[in-house]
Amino acid sequence: MNRTLLSLVVPFYNEQESIAHFFPRVTAILDGLDGVDFEIVCVNDGSRDGTYQALVAAARGDARIRVIDLTRNFGKEAALTAGLDEAKGDIVIPFDADLQDPPELIPQMVAKWREGFDVVVARRVDRRSDTFMKRKSALLFYRFHNKLADVKIPENVGDFRLMSREVIEALKHLPESRRFMKGLFAWVGFRTAMVDYVREARSAGETSFSAWKLWNFALEGLTSFSTAPLRIWFYLGSTIALLSFAFACEIIIKTLVKGVAVPGYASLLVSILFMGGVQLIGIGIIGEYVGRIYIESKRRPVYLIRSCFQLDRTEAPSQDGCV
Ligand code: UDP
Ligand code: MG
């Protein structure tokens, strides 16, 4: 029987405390899978603590662990992209280093894949471990995003999912350099199954996503997958123009009937300020998109690899990454 190779792709950013729990728990589960070999692709996303050393130490003890060291902190989406590019598996699973997603779910996901699904998405049925604000803002984001964008992102799913080789190849062919992975995962489609789970609290350390980072992440998602924010200005502008026209008519008629009256300082100021504000918001939104076009147009790579480590196989990265 052909054995399946499973790649677990894990981005690490300042996760030195998580590593001690991480490998024992994950390898125990993966070892228990029938007919499956595995590799763990660890991407060190420019950590400033001892994460890299700890990863290499783990890799020295197990040839199935690979360490990809990026040249600096490129952010989770880029680190994940690096890991997916490097993964060799027939099936690939992105996974968080903090064990918030239970690896115990992996056997179930593999079983679904064997039933013939290309993507098996893990859905959080219970987000009690997230703060109230995070739950509410996430809910709001998904609702808003899915109203505006053509590609719907399922609610309450993260990056934790199983993908077949075909899906990974499809993802690799998407050329954009600003990568909102959740959106890209949804965009490629394929036959998808769901499995449910309860999200746990972090095993150690702290989240690196502040409210500000999450807000920018949400903007990234919206502007990557919808142009609706650009289009509303036409309708808003038309409505205001129409109202102004009606107002102008009213003034003319009043002037004809009652003669010239000179009040109106307040209404003048309010309408000027209002219009100024509306225009600035419009320009700001156009700016968001122009900025993204600008960044995309540079065609810079999404990440840079400094070195790769795997037991007995340390090689300098070539143009195509590590081999
Ligand atoms: N991460 C990363 N680069 C970053 C920030 C985070 O590779 O710039 C990794 C982090 O090590 C973890 C995963 O992304 O494995 C999820 O991060 P975190 O747990 O902080 O996010 P949350 O679970 O709060 O959404
Ligand atoms: Mg986390």
Side-chain angles (χ1 to χ4, degrees):
M1 194 184 109
N2 274 348
R3 292 183 68 80
T4 305
L5 179 66
L6 184 156
S7 302
L8 199 69
V9 173
V10 196
F12 286 83
Y13 177 57
N14 296 344
E15 298 279 5
Q16 120 187 320
E17 289 132 60
S18 309
I19 291 175
H21 318 265
F22 182 78
F23 288 107
R25 178 146 164 219
V26 166
T27 44
I29 305 275
L30 295 178
D31 266 328
L33 286 169
D34 258 347
V36 173
D37 296 322
F38 68 87
E39 60 168 3
I40 303 181
V41 182
C42 308
V43 183
N44 175 35
D45 187 17
S47 301
R48 274 182 279 273
D49 61 0
T51 300
Y52 178 70
Q53 288 75 9
L55 286 176
V56 169
R60 276 189 211 288
D62 190 338
R64 298 169 300 186
I65 299 176
R66 285 159 67 196
V67 183
I68 312 236
D69 191 26
L70 302 187
T71 53
R72 63 171 172 85
N73 179 247
F74 281 90
K76 181 180 177 190
E77 308 298 291
L80 201 56
T81 306
L84 296 181
D85 288 348
E86 293 298 323
K88 299 188 197 120
D90 308 306
I91 48 181
V92 179
I93 303 182
F95 197 72
D96 280 0
D98 55 11
L99 291 172
Q100 277 194 289
D101 307 314
E104 288 75 14
L105 214 61
I106 293 174
Q108 233 174 301
M109 297 165 99
V110 173
K112 280 271 181 219
W113 172 71
R114 288 198 170 124
E115 282 174 26
F117 290 100
D118 300 298
V119 180
V120 185
V121 180
R123 181 172 44 190
R124 306 160 189 167
V125 287
D126 179 351
R127 295 180 61 139
R128 243 175 309 179
S129 63
D130 287 334
T131 60
F132 177 79
M133 275 306 287
K134 182 150 183 188
R135 282 200 310 257
K136 281 281 166 261
S137 58
L139 188 73
L140 212 71
F141 167 73
Y142 288 120
R143 291 278 152 83
F144 194 59
H145 181 278
N146 290 346
K147 274 238 155 57
L148 294 187
D150 299 331
V151 179
K152 313 287 175 227
I153 301 180
E155 270 173 45
N156 287 328
V157 309
D159 296 327
F160 185 32
R161 62 187 64 215
L162 178 150
M163 289 171 283
S164 68
R165 176 57 31 199
E166 289 77 27
V167 180
I168 297 296
E169 290 305 318
L171 280 172
K172 280 198 205 171
H173 279 104
L174 300 183
E176 55 248 79
S177 52
R178 299 286 291 253
R179 300 185 83 80
F180 183 68
M181 294 311 279
K182 264 189 230 194
L184 298 182
F185 289 153
W187 189 88
V188 294
F190 287 91
R191 265 166 310 167
T192 304
M194 298 263 181
V195 290
D196 292 339
Y197 75 106
V198 176
R199 188 151 160 95
E200 291 164 39
R202 260 182 160 271
S203 66
E206 270 172 36
T207 175
S208 41
F209 287 91
S210 58
W212 178 241
K213 247 177 142 180
L214 283 174
W215 163 251
N216 282 305
F217 193 52
L219 272 189
E220 182 85 43
L222 267 179
T223 50
S224 298
F225 283 89
S226 167
T227 51
L230 283 175
R231 278 180 292 149
I232 53 170
W233 297 99
F234 173 74
Y235 299 100
L236 196 67
S238 309
T239 313
I240 292 177
L242 217 68
L243 290 177
S244 326
F245 185 69
F247 189 42
C249 292
E250 190 198 332
I251 293 174
I252 292 171
I253 292 168
K254 268 193 184 158
T255 314
L256 288 178
V257 175
K258 294 190 188 164
V260 183
V262 200
Y265 166 75
S267 58
L268 199 65
L269 195 65
V270 166
S271 51
I272 288 174
L273 287 179
F274 175 73
M275 277 316 297
V278 168
Q279 284 166 358
L280 283 180
I281 296 172
I283 292 172
I285 290 184
I286 295 172
E288 277 290 322
Y289 283 88
V290 173
R292 266 154 239 269
I293 298 170
Y294 176 60
I295 303 264
E296 282 293 338
S297 70
K298 291 175 191 270
R299 313 263 14 104
R300 283 189 191 139
V302 180
Y303 56 85
L304 285 180
I305 296 178
R306 172 162 44 206
S307 68
C308 311
F309 180 89
Q310 187 173 16
L311 200 61
D312 307 327
R313 294 192 46 176
T314 296
E315 290 155 61
S318 71
Q319 282 251 293
D320 316 312
C322 306
V323 247

